[in-house]
Amino acid sequence: MLRDRRSMAGGLILSVLMAAASASGQELPPPEKTEVWKPVPATVDPSRHGQAPSDAIVLFDGKDLSEWRGRDGEPGWKVADGAMTVVPGAGNLTTKRGFGDVQLHVEWRTPAEIVGESQGRGNSGVFLMGLYEVQVLDSWQNPTYVNGQAASVYKQHVPLVNASRGPGEWQTYDIIFTAPRFDADGGLESPATVTVLHNGVLVQNHVKLEGPTVFRGAPRYEAHADRLPLMLQDHRNEVSYRNIWIREL
Ligand code: MG
């Protein structure tokens, strides 16, 4: 009954609007004029929350490091209990494939036992294109410079909030990255941008990167390939990763 009345009221409002439009001499085009039917977006099975959608490349499914390379070839990190863990000193891992614009899902965990402080506590990092770091750090009650805390774009962008879980708990990053574009002469056409959700909370909102991550000094772009391997950092803390998947955009 109520619904009937509402739809009657809706119909009345629509007739009034149409009458007003034709009275003012501005006949609106039929609604079909602004409908888009093609091309139809590809159908993707989104799977369960956090799991890889059907069109994603699974970079780590908990079993092996077949998608990864180590400093000297073989990746020297430990695989156990569905996770891959930094072996301090073994070096960074890079993907065998290169990527440009991507959506990336990564789950990570810092050691349950708190050792060290500031940048020395659960430090690792997700380096997009091997160059642009989204910081991984145990930022639960761990003061450090804020453009170096978890979910910062290291030394460039402070996260909007600290959405960290405690040490030993699994955390998620969902990252949307647009690679920088360079012109034929190697000049910067458009900078890289990144959006990051930390444990589902927006922490970086389409921020512009000033250049590749540097520890000292100011970042500066230099032309590079359209696709480069993703890198995970060995910062000599036993940080673990699992359920890593990526979608090329
Ligand atoms: Mg780091």
Side-chain angles (χ1 to χ4, degrees):
M1 195 60 172
L2 185 62
R3 197 177 291 166
D4 285 353
R5 252 184 238 152
R6 270 196 198 142
S7 72
M8 276 168 69
L12 187 63
I13 289 166
L14 188 64
S15 331
V16 169
L17 285 174
M18 283 167 78
S22 67
S24 67
Q26 291 177 322
E27 198 74 57
L28 287 170
E32 293 79 12
K33 280 271 186 200
T34 43
E35 292 175 359
V36 176
W37 285 72
K38 277 181 179 176
V40 179
T43 301
V44 167
D45 178 357
S47 195
R48 262 165 277 162
H49 184 71
Q51 301 302 303
S54 59
D55 64 346
I57 295 168
V58 175
L59 293 175
F60 181 64
D61 65 358
K63 296 190 189 92
D64 62 70
L65 298 175
S66 55
E67 287 285 339
W68 299 85
R69 214 174 251 139
R71 189 178 45 202
D72 309 310
E74 283 304 301
W77 294 18
K78 191 176 75 184
V79 177
D81 305 322
M84 57 198 265
T85 302
V86 173
V87 172
N92 305 324
L93 290 200
T94 52
T95 53
K96 291 179 179 172
R97 309 182 206 218
F99 301 99
D101 299 351
V102 293
Q103 174 187 353
L104 171 67
H105 177 86
V106 176
E107 298 180 17
W108 55 273
R109 181 183 63 188
T110 59
E113 190 193 337
I114 296 174
V115 177
E117 54 174 9
S118 186
Q119 293 289 305
R121 191 174 133 187
N123 195 333
S124 182
V126 176
F127 282 70
L128 296 143
M129 304 191 91
L131 294 170
Y132 308 98
E133 184 182 19
V134 176
Q135 173 72 308
V136 168
L137 193 75
D138 178 0
S139 278
W140 183 79
Q141 300 182 358
N142 179 28
T144 189
Y145 46 94
V146 295
N147 60 351
Q149 72 179 63
S152 63
V153 177
Y154 187 77
K155 294 259 177 106
Q156 295 190 30
H157 293 283
V158 179
L160 296 169
V161 291
N162 183 348
S164 296
R165 295 201 173 112
E169 289 190 65
W170 282 105
Q171 312 202 40
T172 62
Y173 279 164
D174 287 283
I175 297 173
I176 297 147
F177 175 76
T178 306
R181 302 295 197 262
F182 301 97
D183 61 28
D185 302 322
L188 182 69
E189 220 166 63
S190 58
T193 62
V194 73
T195 294
V196 181
L197 288 94
H198 182 190
N199 296 324
V201 178
L202 182 69
V203 286
Q204 301 287 353
N205 188 8
H206 196 65
V207 295
K208 286 190 175 111
L209 277 61
E210 296 154 29
T213 299
V214 285
F215 183 47
R216 293 163 192 241
R220 201 169 62 87
Y221 278 106
E222 268 178 49
H224 57 65
D226 295 344
R227 288 158 181 266
L228 289 168
L230 176 74
M231 187 176 95
L232 299 178
Q233 186 185 35
D234 167 15
H235 201 280
R236 295 186 177 266
N237 294 147
E238 290 175 0
V239 173
S240 300
Y241 291 90
R242 72 175 184 190
N243 192 22
I244 308 175
W245 51 261
I246 197 162
R247 295 180 64 244
E248 298 187 277
L249 303 176

